[in-house]
Amino acid sequence: MTLVDTSATPTTATGGPALAQERRLVTAIPGPRSQELMARKAEAVASGVGTTIPVSVVAAGGGVLVDADDNSLIDLGSGIAVTGVGNANPRVVAAVKAQLDAFTHTCFTVAPYENYVAVAEKLNELTPGDHVKRSALFNSGAEAVENAVKIARHFTKKQAVVAFDHAYHGRTNLTMGLTAKNIPYKSGFGPFASEVYRAPLSYPFRDGGLSGAEAAARAITQIEKQVGAENLAAIIIEPIQGEGGFIVPAQGFLPALVEWARANDVVFIADEVQTGFGRTGAWFASEHDGIVPDLVVTAKGIAGGLPLSAVTGRAEIMDSAMAGGLGGTYGGNPLACAAALAAIESYESDGLIERAREIGAVLIGRLNAMRTADPRIGDVRGRGAMVAIELVDPATGAPDAALTNAIAKHAHQNGVVVLTCGTYGNVIRFLPPLTISDELLIEGLGVIAEGLKTA
Ligand SMILES: *Cc1c(COP(=O)(O)O)cnc(C)c1O
């Protein structure tokens, strides 16, 4: 366990000492206080609300989570790509405190306030493309996805929506339908919304090496034969799939889909909920493929941990819905908007997008070295601070979910919070806060390597 370089240690909003940036195990995980909370959780919270690591968090920031037993865990998950700016970013904390002293809520659609508009202006400026844009704010990623589809249907006066294999878009009814994976997201929760169709993805590790153009042609043929452009309102896709396994499509796949959508009056929606806000080393992952989506859906990394989401896109599409057709009681809550403006300021002024690229270089370098030494790592992929390993049986290439779970369990017991994903449950994903130090990151990867060895 190493101590962090103090020059990289963040300070708190008041300038006081920040959390020690170290892995520190005082008890077994979970310790007695965490066990107490987990027992209360079992009695009070619905079982369907699962947890990755059985701890009771009392503080978090930089690159660590501290639990009630005073264990300090290395965070390689960022609360699922949310706390890119850290869990207690000083700018976010100060901005939310100031807003809290002013007012907590009016409902923007009743009596509006400035920071909602300022967030919309920022999103219009930062998302890909220099066309005229509008934004609308919501609370969760799923809610924003639902609204993007609503808007696309209203604008095109068409109904069908195409989502892709391995897609994840949320847990509400429409977004469950858009999501590919049955267990745990869909099984028993139907019936699902109609007019949702699925197309094949580009998955270079598992599709026999189709080029981006070939994979796009395969998807487009299927869409044309099974749905028809004249019925299709929108294509929705994650530029790099998140829950589905951090799948980076082959070069050329996304541009070909965008081109086809544009030629056929189909709205192209990029779900950048997980990939957005610097995570991949660019503001948005669409930039790596040089695509300009018609609508961009954002959430997770947008507001330093406060609940906020958005749909941003072409003014003519966004403006097609009638007044009152979009909104919600809490959408664009002033505390969340204050947090978003401060988080965006932090991404910009604290060099966090550059930092995502540096983190990516460390991750890719170390994980590739591990892969060379151990063929059970079938693939290392990702961009910026969104990187994953896919674990397989080296003889057959078959997904190895048992090994994946064993490594994750080893990590959790040894003070490293890491998440798995993938349709086959055989992907370990790395999504550290962009405020983590190299020392902590490397130490965390060392624990993963140890887990791989002992599994
Ligand atoms: C997490 C996620 C969602 C859903 O966001 P919630 O805020 O959990 O509703 C949608 N799309 C993608 C790509 C996600 O990663």
Side-chain angles (χ1 to χ4, degrees), residues 240-423:
I240 299 174
Q241 284 191 328
E243 306 302 305
F246 280 28
I247 304 165
V248 185
Q251 203 185 353
F253 179 72
L254 294 172
L257 291 180
V258 171
E259 196 183 316
W260 181 85
R262 202 136 299 152
N264 288 280
D265 298 315
V266 171
V267 174
F268 185 94
I269 305 170
D271 179 346
E272 292 245 18
V273 169
Q274 193 154 157
T275 50
F277 292 95
R279 175 53 54 187
T280 66
W283 274 109
F284 297 96
S286 293
E287 295 167 39
H288 298 294
D289 295 280
I291 60 167
V292 177
D294 298 311
L295 302 180
V296 178
V297 181
T298 53
K300 293 196 166 104
I302 192 174
L306 274 83
L308 187 70
S309 65
V311 181
T312 300
R314 294 183 190 280
E316 63 274 23
I317 302 176
M318 293 296 295
D319 282 341
S320 81
M322 59 289 199
L326 305 178
T329 307
Y330 294 115
N333 170 272
L335 299 170
C337 288
L341 293 172
I344 290 167
E345 168 77 27
S346 185
Y347 287 118
E348 279 176 341
S349 303
D350 301 337
L352 292 181
I353 298 177
E354 170 72 10
R355 181 65 192 140
R357 290 195 287 267
E358 291 170 10
I359 288 171
V362 171
L363 285 169
I364 295 274
R366 304 235 159 200
L367 294 168
N368 269 332
M370 280 164 65
R371 178 185 176 211
T372 306
D374 192 329
R376 292 176 298 170
I377 300 181
D379 197 20
V380 175
R381 57 179 180 251
R383 291 192 204 275
M386 181 172 186
V387 171
I389 53 176
E390 178 158 352
L391 295 154
V392 298
D393 175 338
T396 63
D400 194 342
L403 173 62
T404 307
N405 290 332
I407 296 169
K409 191 169 173 204
H410 175 90
H412 297 157
Q413 287 173 340
N414 287 281
V416 177
V417 181
V418 73
L419 303 169
T420 61
C421 64
T423 297

Side-chain angles (χ1 to χ4, degrees), residues 42-122:
E43 291 299 318
V45 179
S47 310
V49 184
T51 46
T52 299
I53 181 165
V55 294
S56 173
V57 174
V58 295
V64 297
L65 307 178
V66 177
D67 76 12
D69 298 294
D70 204 34
N71 299 299
S72 176
L73 317 173
I74 299 176
D75 182 10
L76 299 183
S78 299
I80 320 185
V82 169
T83 53
V85 297
N87 314 63
N89 180 291
R91 293 179 200 271
V92 172
V93 171
V96 175
K97 279 184 176 160
Q99 179 60 46
L100 197 50
D101 285 337
F103 63 96
T104 58
H105 175 83
T106 61
C107 189
F108 185 79
T109 60
V110 173
Y113 39 87
E114 193 265 345
N115 63 15
Y116 183 116
V117 177
V119 170
E121 288 168 347
K122 265 292 177 196

Side-chain angles (χ1 to χ4, degrees), residues 22-35:
E22 62 181 1
R23 179 166 65 109
R24 181 178 68 241
L25 294 177
V26 178
T27 67
I29 306 283
R33 283 166 195 258
S34 289
Q35 285 179 35

Side-chain angles (χ1 to χ4, degrees), residues 148-161 229-235 261 264-268 294 316-317 320:
V149 171
K150 264 173 74 169
I151 293 164
R153 284 176 167 158
H154 201 276
F155 174 73
T156 59
K157 302 186 174 63
K158 299 190 276 186
Q159 295 187 345
V161 183
E230 69 275 24
N231 301 309
L232 186 59
I235 285 176
N264 288 280
D265 298 315
V266 171
V267 174
F268 185 94
D294 298 311
E316 63 274 23
I317 302 176
S320 81

